[in-house]
Amino acid sequence: MRLLLRVLAPLFGLLVAVAGLALVVETVTAWVAPSSSPLVVPWPAWRTAVEGLTWQSGSVRVAAVVVGVIGLFVLLIALLARRHDVFLADPVPEVTVTTSPRSLARAVGHEVRSHDDVVSASVVASSSKITVKAATLDPAEGVRAAVRDRVEQMLVRLPLARRPRVAVSVTTTKGVK
Protein backbone atom coordinates (compact mmCIF):
# COMPACT_ATOMS: atom_id res chain seq x y z
CA MET A 1 0.00 0.00 0.00
CA ARG A 2 2.84 2.38 0.77
CA LEU A 3 4.29 1.78 -2.70
CA LEU A 4 1.00 2.80 -4.29
CA LEU A 5 0.94 5.94 -2.14
CA ARG A 6 4.52 6.75 -3.12
CA VAL A 7 3.53 6.56 -6.78
CA LEU A 8 0.23 8.45 -6.43
CA ALA A 9 1.57 11.33 -4.32
CA PRO A 10 4.06 12.65 -6.92
CA LEU A 11 1.55 12.14 -9.73
CA PHE A 12 -1.10 14.08 -7.82
CA GLY A 13 1.46 16.78 -6.98
CA LEU A 14 2.51 17.01 -10.63
CA LEU A 15 -1.14 17.30 -11.69
CA VAL A 16 -1.74 20.15 -9.23
CA ALA A 17 1.49 21.90 -10.34
CA VAL A 18 0.51 21.69 -14.02
CA ALA A 19 -2.97 23.01 -13.26
CA GLY A 20 -1.48 25.87 -11.24
CA LEU A 21 0.99 26.70 -13.99
CA ALA A 22 -1.82 26.73 -16.58
CA LEU A 23 -3.85 29.02 -14.32
CA VAL A 24 -0.94 31.45 -13.96
CA VAL A 25 -0.22 31.43 -17.70
CA GLU A 26 -3.87 32.04 -18.58
CA THR A 27 -4.23 34.78 -15.96
CA VAL A 28 -1.13 36.64 -17.16
CA THR A 29 -2.27 36.25 -20.79
CA ALA A 30 -5.72 37.65 -19.91
CA TRP A 31 -4.13 40.64 -18.11
CA VAL A 32 -1.58 41.42 -20.80
CA ALA A 33 -3.78 40.90 -23.86
CA PRO A 34 -7.43 40.63 -22.83
CA SER A 35 -8.71 40.56 -26.40
CA SER A 36 -6.46 37.68 -27.52
CA SER A 37 -7.65 34.10 -27.52
CA PRO A 38 -6.67 31.83 -24.64
CA LEU A 39 -3.11 30.55 -24.77
CA VAL A 40 -3.39 26.97 -23.46
CA VAL A 41 -6.80 26.27 -21.92
CA PRO A 42 -10.00 27.05 -23.88
CA TRP A 43 -11.63 28.65 -20.84
CA PRO A 44 -14.11 30.91 -22.69
CA ALA A 45 -15.72 27.83 -24.27
CA TRP A 46 -15.69 26.06 -20.90
CA ARG A 47 -17.27 29.11 -19.24
CA THR A 48 -20.17 29.18 -21.70
CA ALA A 49 -20.69 25.42 -21.22
CA VAL A 50 -20.69 25.75 -17.44
CA GLU A 51 -22.98 28.82 -17.26
CA GLY A 52 -26.06 26.72 -17.98
CA LEU A 53 -25.34 24.15 -15.25
CA THR A 54 -27.01 24.09 -11.83
CA TRP A 55 -26.46 21.93 -8.77
CA GLN A 56 -29.40 19.80 -9.90
CA SER A 57 -27.80 18.99 -13.28
CA GLY A 58 -26.96 15.34 -13.80
CA SER A 59 -23.42 16.04 -14.99
CA VAL A 60 -22.68 18.13 -11.90
CA ARG A 61 -23.92 15.36 -9.61
CA VAL A 62 -21.92 12.72 -11.50
CA ALA A 63 -18.79 14.89 -11.28
CA ALA A 64 -19.38 15.39 -7.53
CA VAL A 65 -19.75 11.65 -6.98
CA VAL A 66 -16.61 10.88 -9.02
CA VAL A 67 -14.56 13.47 -7.11
CA GLY A 68 -15.91 12.14 -3.80
CA VAL A 69 -15.06 8.53 -4.67
CA ILE A 70 -11.56 9.50 -5.79
CA GLY A 71 -11.08 11.48 -2.57
CA LEU A 72 -12.24 8.57 -0.42
CA PHE A 73 -9.95 6.23 -2.37
CA VAL A 74 -6.93 8.48 -1.76
CA LEU A 75 -7.89 8.86 1.92
CA LEU A 76 -8.24 5.09 2.33
CA ILE A 77 -4.85 4.48 0.72
CA ALA A 78 -3.26 7.08 3.00
CA LEU A 79 -4.80 5.54 6.11
CA LEU A 80 -3.81 2.01 5.19
CA ALA A 81 -0.26 3.05 4.28
CA ARG A 82 0.61 4.38 7.69
CA ARG A 83 3.48 2.89 9.62
CA HIS A 84 2.54 0.13 12.01
CA ASP A 85 5.24 0.70 14.61
CA VAL A 86 5.52 -1.19 17.86
CA PHE A 87 5.97 1.28 20.70
CA LEU A 88 8.52 0.63 23.41
CA ALA A 89 8.55 2.13 26.89
CA ASP A 90 9.82 5.71 26.71
CA PRO A 91 13.07 6.20 28.64
CA VAL A 92 12.18 9.85 29.29
CA PRO A 93 9.02 11.83 28.48
CA GLU A 94 10.70 13.73 25.62
CA VAL A 95 11.76 10.57 23.75
CA THR A 96 9.53 8.14 21.88
CA VAL A 97 11.03 4.76 21.07
CA THR A 98 9.59 2.44 18.43
CA THR A 99 10.57 -0.66 16.54
CA SER A 100 9.16 -2.27 13.45
CA PRO A 101 6.94 -5.35 13.58
CA ARG A 102 9.53 -7.07 11.39
CA SER A 103 12.27 -6.47 13.97
CA LEU A 104 10.06 -7.77 16.76
CA ALA A 105 9.21 -10.86 14.69
CA ARG A 106 12.88 -11.42 13.94
CA ALA A 107 13.79 -11.25 17.64
CA VAL A 108 10.99 -13.61 18.66
CA GLY A 109 11.85 -15.96 15.79
CA HIS A 110 15.49 -16.09 16.87
CA GLU A 111 14.39 -16.92 20.41
CA VAL A 112 11.99 -19.65 19.23
CA ARG A 113 14.51 -21.23 16.85
CA SER A 114 17.10 -21.40 19.63
CA HIS A 115 14.89 -23.94 21.42
CA ASP A 116 16.41 -27.43 21.01
CA ASP A 117 13.18 -29.15 19.99
CA VAL A 118 12.16 -26.64 17.31
CA VAL A 119 13.10 -27.65 13.76
CA SER A 120 11.72 -24.56 12.01
CA ALA A 121 9.60 -21.56 12.90
CA SER A 122 7.92 -18.58 11.33
CA VAL A 123 6.78 -15.52 13.25
CA VAL A 124 4.42 -12.70 12.34
CA ALA A 125 4.29 -9.75 14.73
CA SER A 126 2.27 -6.58 15.14
CA SER A 127 1.79 -4.22 18.05
CA SER A 128 -1.22 -6.23 19.22
CA LYS A 129 -0.40 -9.86 18.40
CA ILE A 130 2.52 -12.21 17.84
CA THR A 131 1.79 -15.42 15.92
CA VAL A 132 4.36 -18.22 16.08
CA LYS A 133 4.18 -21.31 13.88
CA ALA A 134 6.80 -23.88 14.76
CA ALA A 135 7.63 -27.41 13.66
CA THR A 136 9.14 -30.11 15.86
CA LEU A 137 10.03 -33.78 15.78
CA ASP A 138 8.74 -34.32 19.34
CA PRO A 139 5.11 -34.38 20.52
CA ALA A 140 3.70 -30.97 19.68
CA GLU A 141 1.87 -30.23 22.94
CA GLY A 142 4.96 -30.33 25.16
CA VAL A 143 6.98 -28.21 22.76
CA ARG A 144 4.08 -25.74 22.36
CA ALA A 145 4.07 -24.98 26.09
CA ALA A 146 7.86 -24.59 26.17
CA VAL A 147 7.87 -22.29 23.14
CA ARG A 148 5.03 -20.20 24.58
CA ASP A 149 6.90 -19.83 27.90
CA ARG A 150 10.06 -18.86 26.05
CA VAL A 151 8.22 -16.17 24.06
CA GLU A 152 6.47 -14.85 27.18
CA GLN A 153 9.80 -14.61 29.04
CA MET A 154 11.31 -12.74 26.12
CA LEU A 155 8.41 -10.27 26.05
CA VAL A 156 8.95 -9.61 29.76
CA ARG A 157 12.58 -8.70 29.00
CA LEU A 158 11.61 -6.31 26.18
CA PRO A 159 10.54 -2.81 27.20
CA LEU A 160 7.26 -2.93 25.26
CA ALA A 161 4.76 -0.17 26.04
CA ARG A 162 1.87 -2.58 25.45
CA ARG A 163 2.19 -6.33 25.66
CA PRO A 164 0.92 -8.15 22.56
CA ARG A 165 -1.12 -11.35 22.69
CA VAL A 166 0.82 -14.49 21.81
CA ALA A 167 -0.53 -17.32 19.68
CA VAL A 168 1.66 -20.40 19.28
CA SER A 169 0.95 -23.37 17.08
CA VAL A 170 3.32 -26.30 16.84
CA THR A 171 3.14 -29.15 14.35
CA THR A 172 4.99 -32.42 14.49
CA THR A 173 7.00 -33.16 11.38
CA LYS A 174 8.22 -36.53 10.30
CA GLY A 175 11.91 -36.98 10.06
CA VAL A 176 14.92 -38.76 11.48
CA LYS A 177 15.77 -37.65 14.95
Side-chain angles (χ1 to χ4, degrees), residues 85-102:
D85 289 337
V86 177
F87 289 92
L88 301 174
D90 300 336
V92 291
E94 299 84 22
V95 177
T96 301
V97 183
T98 63
T99 188
S100 68
R102 177 180 275 176

Side-chain angles (χ1 to χ4, degrees), residues 31-108:
W31 284 345
V32 172
S35 61
S36 70
S37 63
L39 190 60
V40 178
V41 181
W43 57 269
W46 289 359
R47 189 179 80 194
T48 57
V50 171
E51 281 177 347
L53 296 176
T54 64
W55 285 109
Q56 285 75 29
S57 300
S59 57
V60 172
R61 289 184 180 191
V62 168
V65 168
V66 167
V67 168
V69 167
I70 291 172
L72 286 175
F73 177 70
V74 170
L75 179 66
L76 182 66
I77 288 174
L79 289 175
L80 292 176
R82 68 181 173 87
R83 290 181 55 106
H84 298 281
D85 289 337
V86 177
F87 289 92
L88 301 174
D90 300 336
V92 291
E94 299 84 22
V95 177
T96 301
V97 183
T98 63
T99 188
S100 68
R102 177 180 275 176
S103 295
L104 180 60
R106 192 176 300 133
V108 171

Side-chain angles (χ1 to χ4, degrees), residues 118-159:
V118 174
V119 176
S120 65
S122 68
V123 180
V124 177
S126 70
S127 60
S128 60
K129 186 175 181 180
I130 297 175
T131 305
V132 178
K133 293 181 182 178
T136 182
L137 299 173
D138 296 333
E141 201 51 45
V143 176
R144 181 181 175 279
V147 167
R148 183 174 190 75
D149 288 343
R150 197 166 211 158
V151 171
E152 292 289 344
Q153 289 172 2
M154 183 195 164
L155 292 178
V156 168
R157 291 192 312 262
L158 289 176

